[in-house]
DNA sequence: CGGTATCCTCTACGATACTG
DNA sequence: CAGTATCGTAGAGGATACCG
């Protein structure tokens, strides 16, 4: 269904099966999986948070990353951006109802992760 | 804590903050997030599955990917590989108790994903 | 403060061919 | 059948500097 054909540098045809019928899990993972994305949602769970505060909370994510992820989350309808003042500019991000609906999963994941005391190899 | 310093091709120093205190959500995501990983676990939920059957179930993942993900899952203690016959060789993969403990989250994710009828933009 | 823009590197992943 | 080996590319993500 979802396939594209490209020709590589050596003139060979290549068929890219983008992702035929990706199961719901893969779809869901694209929304809340991916680096920082789940964490961002989770850190917005209680109240609107300002851009730089969010960056600091994530401790390790660059502004670029945070910015990028927030834009994705906005497009997906999980987060709303609000300008609360110009000069000096201040912006907050908060969850939509849809965003909120993902919190349970993220919280379960957090608990699961903590109880199994997961160590990162690399 | 976890930082390394490298020098790039132009002799500039670079500090890599690997991942300081990644929150539990990020840790968890590394185990069940990532392309195909959640799906593999989910497809093993009922019974042991053979390598090629698994590949087919995922419809779109190459053998290389499936192989790679299965090795990771094995190292993480979520999946067990069993050789059930040589000549012709036959191998199955099944979940460990730990692997099983992730099923609830994945199932919730699946339901969430389905009920919100998520569309993949790209 | 809340971003953009630029540059660069590293790895994830796909295609493909081959092996015991 | 169940992988391994090889090659290539696209893109993710970090560092850094700059802007309104």
């Amino acid at each position: 269904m979802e396939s594209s054909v490209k020709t590589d540098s050596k003139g060979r045809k290549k068929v890219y099966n983008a992702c035929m019928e990706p199961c719901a899990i893969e779809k869901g993972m694209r929304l809340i999986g991916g680096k920082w994305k789940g964490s961002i949602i989770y850190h917005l769970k209680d109240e609107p948070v300002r851009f730089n505060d969010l960056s600091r909370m994530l401790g390790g994510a660059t502004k670029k990353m945070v910015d990028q992820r927030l834009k994705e989350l906005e497009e997906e309808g999980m987060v709303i951006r609000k300008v609360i003042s110009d000069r000096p500019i201040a912006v907050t991000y908060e969850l939509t109802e849809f965003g909120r609906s993902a919190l349970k999963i993220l919280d379960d994941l957090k608990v699961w992760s903590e109880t199994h005391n997961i160590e990162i190899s690399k």
Side-chain angles (χ1 to χ4, degrees), chain A residues 75-86:
Chain A
E75 278 180 25
E76 291 156 4
M78 305 191 74
V79 155
I80 297 175
R81 190 187 106 114
K82 283 186 180 161
V83 178
I84 56 176
S85 101
D86 310 332

Side-chain angles (χ1 to χ4, degrees), chain A residues 56-111:
Chain A
R56 261 174 248 117
M57 283 169 162
L58 297 172
T62 59
K63 286 180 175 187
K64 186 185 163 190
M65 275 305 95
V66 180
D67 181 51
Q68 221 168 76
R69 290 295 99 88
L70 282 171
K71 285 214 170 94
E72 289 172 18
L73 290 168
E74 228 191 318
E75 278 180 25
E76 291 156 4
M78 305 191 74
V79 155
I80 297 175
R81 190 187 106 114
K82 283 186 180 161
V83 178
I84 56 176
S85 101
D86 310 332
R87 215 166 12 268
I89 187 171
V91 176
T92 63
Y93 291 88
E94 59 184 278
L95 295 179
T96 61
E97 267 316 299
F98 180 35
R100 243 164 226 304
S101 71
L103 282 177
K104 187 182 168 306
I105 294 167
L106 291 170
D107 201 50
D108 286 351
L109 177 65
K110 181 165 173 286
V111 170

Side-chain angles (χ1 to χ4, degrees), chain A residues 3-118:
Chain A
S3 63
S4 61
V5 180
K6 293 184 184 177
T7 307
D8 72 5
S9 52
K10 298 199 179 63
R12 289 177 303 195
K13 295 279 182 185
K14 288 190 168 195
V15 179
Y16 291 92
N17 293 322
C19 194
M20 21 171 70
E21 297 192 329
C23 86
I25 290 180
E26 292 304 315
K27 288 187 184 179
M29 279 299 181
R30 295 206 206 173
L31 288 191
I32 62 172
K35 210 169 181 184
W36 305 118
K37 228 166 162 191
S39 303
I40 289 175
I41 298 172
Y42 194 77
H43 280 105
L44 296 180
K45 69 187 218 135
D46 294 322
E47 52 192 354
V49 180
R50 297 180 59 173
F51 183 83
N52 280 330
D53 290 339
L54 198 48
S55 299
R56 261 174 248 117
M57 283 169 162
L58 297 172
T62 59
K63 286 180 175 187
K64 186 185 163 190
M65 275 305 95
V66 180
D67 181 51
Q68 221 168 76
R69 290 295 99 88
L70 282 171
K71 285 214 170 94
E72 289 172 18
L73 290 168
E74 228 191 318
E75 278 180 25
E76 291 156 4
M78 305 191 74
V79 155
I80 297 175
R81 190 187 106 114
K82 283 186 180 161
V83 178
I84 56 176
S85 101
D86 310 332
R87 215 166 12 268
I89 187 171
V91 176
T92 63
Y93 291 88
E94 59 184 278
L95 295 179
T96 61
E97 267 316 299
F98 180 35
R100 243 164 226 304
S101 71
L103 282 177
K104 187 182 168 306
I105 294 167
L106 291 170
D107 201 50
D108 286 351
L109 177 65
K110 181 165 173 286
V111 170
W112 178 76
S113 172
E114 284 168 351
T115 60
H116 290 285
N117 206 18
I118 289 153

